DNA sequence: ACATTAATTGTGT
DNA sequence: ACACAATTAATGT
């Protein structure tokens, strides 16, 4: 029994948002096989090592995707927003491999979960689906390349700035609720380094901060 | 309202 | 990187 949150059925939401992207028959199929779910913040949708049985399509809210190394340190890869789907999931599930990523809900989201078998079936059957999947694969890849050269070529200070800017954008709020420790985990750094740099950014007037809250004062 | 505790943040070495 | 101090939020009495 899928919760739709605001009383809209799955098919209404799909029609509303994907009308011009998918043909009507495909929308019906997605509705039949997929299940719509509202998920609260911090819920872990997919964890490292999980076997993927469903792929997510994000309707609203945002989802944070990261990897984890063997010491348990994380690295933020990219965010998923409206209309996005997770490319790595696609890769994993078609070959029935285990997930190398973790997906956590960043801000309360509505997500449609589609079983893997259907994905493949639709890839052949609907060109709109094929395009959607390939397109999404492509943009995820570009985001990851962006994240990579951010890491390689930018200083930690710039990485924090980018991180804050992204978070403001993704949550559509200048107010960021998070701790220095969380930022450190996301950026694969240490808490002390983040605290020092955040203090500096505060002095420069880019942010104002109180405990667990950062107010972004720069341009977006 | 106050004291206790836990978590977060700041700083010096 | 580590240790510790300072600050703040949460909780119980």
């Amino acid at each position: 029994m899928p919760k739709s949150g605001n009383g809209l059925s799955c098919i209404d939401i799909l029609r509303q948002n994907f009308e011009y992207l998918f043909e009507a028959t495909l929308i019906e199929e997605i509705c039949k096989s997929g299940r719509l779910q509202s998920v609260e913040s911090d819920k872990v949708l997919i964890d490292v090592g999980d076997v993927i049985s469903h792929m997510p399509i994000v309707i609203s809210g945002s989802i944070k995707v990261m990897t984890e190394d063997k010491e348990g340190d994380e690295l933020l890869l990219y965010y998923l927003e409206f209309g996005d789907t997770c490319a790595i999931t696609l890769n994993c599930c078609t070959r029935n491999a285990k997930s190398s990523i973790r997906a956590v809900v960043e801000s309360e989201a509505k997500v449609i979960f589609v079983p893997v078998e259907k994905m493949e079936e639709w890839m052949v059957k609907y060109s709109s689906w094929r395009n959607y999947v390939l397109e999404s694969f492509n943009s995820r890849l570009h985001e990851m390349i962006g994240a990579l050269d951010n890491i390689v070529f930018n200083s930690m200070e710039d990485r924090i700035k980018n991180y804050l800017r992204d978070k403001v954008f993704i949550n559509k709020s200048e107010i960021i609720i998070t701790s220095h420790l969380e930022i450190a985990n996301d950026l694969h750094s240490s808490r002390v380094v983040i605290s020092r740099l955040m203090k500096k950014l505060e002095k420069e007037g880019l942010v104002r901060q109180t405990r667990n809250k950062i107010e972004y004062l720069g341009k977006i």
Side-chain angles (χ1 to χ4, degrees):
Chain A
M1 43 249 58
K3 289 185 294 183
S4 68
N6 54 6
L8 286 175
S9 73
C10 184
I11 193 138
D12 289 333
I13 289 182
L14 278 166
R15 286 223 177 91
Q16 221 165 279
N17 297 305
F18 294 94
E19 175 112 67
Y20 300 102
L21 199 50
F22 299 149
E23 50 263 69
T25 47
L26 175 54
I27 291 187
E28 274 174 49
E29 283 221 51
I30 295 176
C31 193
K32 242 192 297 171
S33 318
R35 61 182 205 283
L36 177 64
Q37 249 177 25
S38 296
V39 280
E40 358 83 69
S41 271
D42 294 338
K43 168 126 184 147
V44 179
L45 295 182
I46 296 165
D47 210 337
V48 178
D50 283 0
V51 177
I52 311 290
S53 57
H54 295 264
M55 80 165 256
I57 302 174
V58 180
I59 303 301
S60 69
S62 58
I63 294 179
K64 180 164 96 170
V65 178
M66 62 196 109
T67 41
E68 189 178 71
D69 65 17
K70 44 186 170 295
E71 278 101 49
D73 296 324
E74 306 180 329
L75 176 64
L76 176 64
L77 290 180
Y78 48 77
Y79 292 99
L80 299 177
E81 292 182 276
F82 162 71
D84 288 336
T85 191
C86 181
I88 305 221
T89 300
L90 304 176
N91 197 16
C92 290
C93 61
T94 49
R95 59 186 63 225
N96 205 357
K98 290 187 175 174
S99 173
S100 49
I101 53 104
R102 180 198 324 252
V104 182
V105 177
E106 166 83 12
S107 58
E108 173 165 2
K110 289 191 178 50
V111 180
I112 296 180
F113 290 96
V114 177
V116 178
E117 318 85 67
K118 288 296 168 188
M119 292 224 9
E120 301 203 44
E121 190 185 316
W122 296 340
M123 282 288 271
V124 197
K125 216 159 145 193
Y126 300 101
S127 64
S128 61
W129 180 259
R130 198 163 50 240
N131 288 339
Y132 170 68
V133 168
L134 291 176
E135 170 58 36
S136 138
F137 200 92
N138 217 263
S139 58
R140 276 334 110 234
L141 192 58
H142 273 96
E143 279 172 11
M144 273 171 40
I145 290 170
L148 182 60
D149 85 40
N150 187 25
I151 290 166
V152 175
F153 297 113
N154 285 346
S155 64
M156 189 43 102
E157 180 169 340
D158 286 334
R159 289 179 59 200
I160 293 185
K161 286 180 184 167
N162 289 333
Y163 175 84
L164 294 173
R165 198 178 27 68
D166 283 355
K167 238 174 154 76
V168 166
F169 178 76
I170 223 82
N171 291 326
K172 293 167 185 42
S173 161
E174 323 284 297
I175 310 283
I176 301 166
I177 303 293
T178 190
S179 69
H180 292 178
L181 182 61
E182 267 190 76
I183 300 178
N185 290 335
D186 284 349
L187 296 183
H188 207 267
S189 173
S190 76
R191 202 274 304 159
V192 193
V193 171
I194 302 297
S195 287
R196 289 215 153 99
L197 286 170
M198 284 304 295
K199 195 71 198 159
K200 185 166 167 224
L201 295 185
E202 190 177 28
K203 281 186 184 142
E204 288 169 4
L206 186 72
V207 296
R208 243 188 304 159
Q209 44 178 354
T210 54
R211 190 195 175 115
N212 282 325
K213 186 173 113 181
I214 296 163
E215 206 178 329
Y216 189 80
L217 303 171
K219 57 170 170 49
I220 302 178

